[in-house]
Amino acid sequence: TYGALGMHDEARKLQQEALEFAQRVLPADHPDIATSMNNLASTYGALGMHDEARKLQQEALEFAQRVLPADHPDIATSMSNLASTYGALGMHDEARKLQQEALEFDQRVLPADHPDIATSMNNLASTYGALGMHDEARKLQQEALEFAQRVLPADHPHIAGSMHHLAVTYNYLGMHDEARKLHQEALEFRQRVLPADH
C-alpha cells in the first residue's frame, strides 16, 4: 500500500524488515524469501536505486532457480524483473537475452493460451525497440497483439496497451498512417472499456 501511495521510502523500510524477518524465521530454502527479495527490489527500482535492485533481483533469481521446481512460473517472473532493471540501467543486451529466455520459459511451461506469454513478448519487443531493432519489435508486437486478442476477454485493457506499443513502433519505422490509425483504435478501445475517470 505504501508503494501504491508513492510512499516508497516507507515501503522500502517495511520490505527490508519483512525480508529480514523471513530470512530469520523461515526455512533457508523457503520460496517466500525470493518473493520478499523481489518486492524490496521493486521498491528500490521505484526509488531509482537500480544497482541495488539489480543485485537483489540477481540474488532472488538464483535463489528461485535453486529452491523452486525447474518449471515454476516464478522463475520467469524473476527473470523478467531482472531484465526490466537491466533496461533501466541501459544494459539492453543483457535485458534482451534474459527476456528471450523468459519468453521461451513461459512458452515451455505455461498453457499455450496464458496471457503472461503476451506480456513476455511485449517486454522483449520493448527491448528490441531500445536497441533500435524496430522491425523485430514490430513483428513481435504484432504477434503479441494477435495473441492477446485471441486469449483475453474482448474488453481487456491489455489489448489497448498492445495496440499502443505497436503504434509507437510503427512511428519509429516511419509508418505514420498505420500508427495514427492504431493509436486512434487504442484510444477508442480505452474510452469504451475503462471508467471515464481512469
Side-chain angles (χ1 to χ4, degrees), residues 166-180 183:
L166 179 55
V168 169
T169 298
Y170 282 160
N171 267 326
Y172 277 113
L173 289 168
M175 302 168 64
H176 302 297
D177 283 337
E178 293 87 341
R180 183 186 50 75
H183 272 303

Side-chain angles (χ1 to χ4, degrees), residues 77-99:
T77 301
S78 289
M79 289 177 187
S80 294
N81 291 342
L82 178 55
S84 176
T85 298
Y86 282 158
L89 288 166
M91 300 168 63
H92 299 298
D93 280 323
E94 293 85 346
R96 179 187 53 77
K97 291 171 190 167
L98 201 51
Q99 286 166 334

Side-chain angles (χ1 to χ4, degrees), residues 181-193:
K181 290 174 190 169
L182 198 53
H183 272 303
Q184 184 64 37
E185 188 178 347
L187 176 61
E188 291 169 3
F189 186 97
R190 284 187 170 123
Q191 289 171 334
R192 191 173 63 250
V193 305

Side-chain angles (χ1 to χ4, degrees), residues 19 22 26 54 71 124 126-128 136 160 170 175:
L19 175 56
L26 294 174
R54 178 188 52 79
D71 60 352
L124 177 56
S126 176
T127 298
Y128 283 158
E136 292 84 347
Y170 282 160
M175 302 168 64

